[in-house]
Amino acid sequence: HMVVGSLLLGEGEMSHKIQTVDLYLQQAIVFIEDAIQYRSINHRVDPSSLRLYRWYYSRIWQWGLGLTIALVLMLAFVERPSSLSYTSDPRFRTPPWEPPCGLTEGIEIVCLIIFTIDFATKSYLIGWEEFRKCLWLIFYIVVISASIIDWTLSLSMECDESLRVRRLIRPFFLLQNSSLMKKTLKCIKRTLPEIASFVFLFTVMIPAYSINRGYSIFFILFSGFGTYFLMNLLTAIIYNQFRGYLLMSIQASILRRRLGIRAAFEVLSCEGRGKDGSHLEKHLLFDELDKDPVKEHPPKPEYGSPILQRLQTVFSHPYITVVGNAVALGNVMCICTVLMLDSEKSVGIRDDYYMEVINLFFTLYYLLEMSLKMFAFGCRGYLSYRNNIFDGLLTICLLIVQIIIFATYGFPHPKWNPASYGLLSLWEMVRLVNMLIVFRFLRIIPDIKLMALVASTLVDLVKNLRAFAGILVVSDIMKHCYMFCFSNRNVEVSNSSMENVTINFTMECGSYEQLGYWPNNFDDFASSLVLLYNVMVVNNWQVFMDAYSRYTTEWSKVYFVSWWLTSSVMWVNLFVALILEVSSTTSRHEHIQEPTEEELLSQLHQHPHLNLTG
């Protein structure tokens, strides 16, 4: 019995050691994934929590959560008042389709359930101590609760309520799910006090004035001072607060990455945890993770014939791409030459024969080039290059359009100008081919270092602008505010104004009625987007402000001025500040500091769920 007991005890210890080693491996894998994605490692690390954590950050759940956020925001276009009408002009608009009570509410409650699951999962994974420190999660559950309460009230009133509070707070779901938007919002919060002081300075300079020729001097001086000094001063103020934003973000991301790698190293050390490991091994881990991944292309097909092998070597050579770029350049030059020769001719007397022959010749060459590359690299090898996918798709599109042209208008011949058939005329289809060819010419960008650098900078700028685009979506709260405050009176604007137009044909020149700005209204969410876009780009925004102040209340001027200051003044300057910051951060990468060994160990020992003292 003692022998059997000893064996069972040994097997139990062995099983426990295996489970422990397996746990260390799982923890190390998750920490490395956190480092790759620049995520915080302050989460639960027991086996069941690790499985839940990896599921939560899986592509399926994250894509599903993103689609849910997009869906709940898109409900504003369908909910009452619905935007599903052919035109927003009240003179010609037919009654839009209104969803029955319970349809959009059913979709919304499913989205709220998904948000509740997301909140519960995230809160459990980080633990109670971290949850109490995270204000975003606390507001998350408050917003979900308020939305459910408002949803219940909406159903109890049979969807006939005049105010839906949950529409005002829906953009929070977008903010909460994006760390980049949170950082941008924090930066804007730091900038607002100085912007407020600037706006105060701007308003106290406008004195009362009367009709006097001498005041033209004031207007000239004020316009020059405001445009060339105050606006640039505002840009400088915003950039001063914005400076270092991206650099600090990069610094924090590097700290999270180094912390994740060091945590993985520590848990894999097992018995050596808590002791100093090899500095060389740690830095090797750091360097390997910072390297750009090298994509391996599938092997080329093997041909038995020496002739085919030689042809494969020729058509897989990089010079084939150079020749293709030269041919694409020649194609674009031919198109420009023919267009310049036909620029003085009307569409009716133009001869599209030469243009179509040129396009047909180059399309056949592109098809031949694509076929030869597929022969040399194989189908999988050809599709493993992004440039080839770009070329191939455009070549197929060119071929399809050419086939449609021949099927509709026959083969080209001199004085080829047949009557129009179908949706597009021959002239429009030839121009479509020209557009595709010019677009295909963009294939040369990766082969020219300067253009590739500019393109990569633009891509980085677009990535950083996603946060600003999201916050612009969040700003639709102002649209909802106006719709709730003035929607009933907005109908009166349209009706009374149209009655005036019908009865009295004399309208003030430059007014809302005389300019025919009827489609620009707050009757539904889509119309509100267009109207506020016009105000943002300062497209006769004073006309809209005058009309709504006449037919609603003078307080509407406050709304329009606030939107103009927010969108046209603040956002444009923030955009400029971001461009300057992206450019300067690119040149300041050498100033990024690596975290010290003491900082990493201190952070690891403060981990709420990881014990490294054993």
Side-chain angles (χ1 to χ4, degrees), residues 69 72-73 115 119 135-144 147 166-178 181-182 185 470 473-477:
I69 294 172
V72 79
L73 292 177
F115 292 143
F119 163 79
L135 292 178
W136 284 99
L137 279 180
I138 296 174
F139 281 117
Y140 196 11
I141 188 58
V142 171
V143 170
I144 292 174
S147 299
R166 62 186 185 277
R167 292 183 68 173
L168 298 174
I169 56 180
R170 280 176 189 166
F172 178 85
F173 298 125
L174 181 63
L175 276 177
Q176 199 281 141
N177 196 49
S178 172
M181 286 187 201
K182 294 175 186 176
L185 199 63
V473 172
V474 172
S475 66
D476 70 353
I477 291 176

Side-chain angles (χ1 to χ4, degrees), residues 182-192 238 241-243 245 574:
K182 294 175 186 176
K183 294 176 183 177
T184 306
L185 199 63
K186 186 182 296 184
C187 177
I188 294 173
K189 179 183 175 182
R190 283 177 16 196
T191 311
L192 284 178
I238 294 176
Q241 291 294 326
F242 212 80
R243 186 173 53 194
Y245 158 68
L574 282 172

Side-chain angles (χ1 to χ4, degrees), residues 22 108-109 179:
D22 185 58
E108 186 175 10
I109 194 60
S179 59

Side-chain angles (χ1 to χ4, degrees), residues 386-405:
R386 292 182 179 178
N387 286 350
N388 290 342
I389 296 176
F390 179 77
D391 287 349
L393 287 176
L394 287 177
T395 301
I396 292 173
C397 290
L398 284 170
L399 183 63
I400 292 173
V401 174
Q402 292 288 1
I403 292 174
I404 294 174
I405 289 176

Side-chain angles (χ1 to χ4, degrees), residues 177-448:
N177 196 49
S178 172
S179 59
L180 189 58
M181 286 187 201
K182 294 175 186 176
K183 294 176 183 177
T184 306
L185 199 63
K186 186 182 296 184
C187 177
I188 294 173
K189 179 183 175 182
R190 283 177 16 196
T191 311
L192 284 178
E194 296 197 23
I195 293 178
S197 62
F198 165 82
V199 173
F200 177 74
L201 173 67
F202 191 82
T203 54
V204 296
M205 292 184 59
I206 304 178
Y209 61 91
S210 59
I211 302 175
N212 191 305
R213 192 185 296 268
Y215 279 106
S216 61
I217 300 174
F218 166 77
F219 286 123
I220 293 172
L221 293 177
F222 179 76
S223 299
F225 184 75
T227 302
Y228 298 108
F229 178 75
L230 288 182
M231 286 302 176
N232 287 292
L233 177 63
L234 178 61
T235 303
I237 290 172
I238 294 176
Y239 177 66
N240 184 55
Q241 291 294 326
F242 212 80
R243 186 173 53 194
Y245 158 68
L246 289 180
L247 191 63
M248 289 188 295
S249 178
I250 294 172
Q251 190 76 54
S253 298
I254 288 178
L255 176 61
R256 286 194 294 269
R257 169 166 283 191
R258 300 295 184 259
L259 202 59
I261 299 172
R262 182 57 190 266
F265 180 85
E266 291 294 332
V267 296
L268 287 176
S269 298
C270 295
E271 299 297 329
R273 289 178 300 154
K275 302 178 182 179
D276 289 336
S278 170
H279 291 280
L280 178 61
E281 293 177 354
K282 296 166 192 170
H283 285 292
L284 281 175
L285 278 171
F286 292 165
D287 294 339
E288 287 299 319
L289 199 58
D290 286 336
K291 291 180 180 178
D292 293 329
V294 179
K295 183 178 181 180
E296 294 185 359
H297 299 284
K300 299 178 183 178
E302 297 181 359
Y303 297 104
S305 171
I307 297 176
L308 294 180
Q309 292 176 1
R310 183 174 294 274
L311 290 174
Q312 183 183 31
T313 304
V314 171
F315 296 128
S316 61
H317 198 277
Y319 282 133
I320 295 296
T321 301
V322 177
V323 173
N325 292 339
V327 172
L329 176 61
N331 191 358
V332 173
M333 292 178 65
C334 290
I335 291 174
C336 293
T337 302
V338 175
L339 289 177
M340 288 190 63
L341 293 175
D342 290 343
S343 61
E344 301 296 330
K345 301 177 182 178
S346 64
V347 177
I349 63 174
R350 288 178 183 175
D351 188 0
D352 291 319
Y353 167 70
Y354 297 103
M355 179 69 78
E356 179 57 24
V357 169
I358 292 171
N359 289 344
L360 177 60
F361 169 78
F362 283 105
T363 300
L364 291 176
Y365 172 82
Y366 298 147
L367 186 62
L368 177 64
E369 180 187 9
M370 182 181 72
S371 302
L372 292 177
K373 283 187 176 181
M374 293 185 70
F375 160 77
F377 294 102
C379 290
R380 291 182 57 209
Y382 178 84
L383 296 176
S384 65
Y385 295 89
R386 292 182 179 178
N387 286 350
N388 290 342
I389 296 176
F390 179 77
D391 287 349
L393 287 176
L394 287 177
T395 301
I396 292 173
C397 290
L398 284 170
L399 183 63
I400 292 173
V401 174
Q402 292 288 1
I403 292 174
I404 294 174
I405 289 176
F406 296 152
T408 307
Y409 298 103
F411 287 94
H413 53 80
K415 305 297 180 183
W416 188 43
N417 194 7
S420 176
Y421 296 104
L423 295 176
L424 298 176
S425 65
L426 174 62
W427 183 83
E428 292 170 333
M429 297 193 74
V430 172
R431 294 308 175 270
L432 177 60
V433 172
N434 294 343
M435 289 173 56
L436 292 173
I437 290 173
V438 173
F439 190 62
R440 187 182 182 277
F441 184 63
L442 296 177
R443 58 178 273 176
I444 69 169
I445 289 178
D447 299 325
I448 301 177

Side-chain angles (χ1 to χ4, degrees), residues 263 266-267 273-275 601 604-605 610-614:
E266 291 294 332
V267 296
R273 289 178 300 154
K275 302 178 182 179
L601 289 176
L604 285 177
H605 286 295
L610 186 64
N611 183 16
L612 295 175
T613 58

Side-chain angles (χ1 to χ4, degrees), residues 153-166:
L153 293 174
S154 179
L155 284 184
S156 65
M157 291 185 284
E158 297 181 353
C159 309
D160 196 27
E161 74 280 15
S162 58
L163 175 64
R164 291 188 179 185
V165 178
R166 62 186 185 277

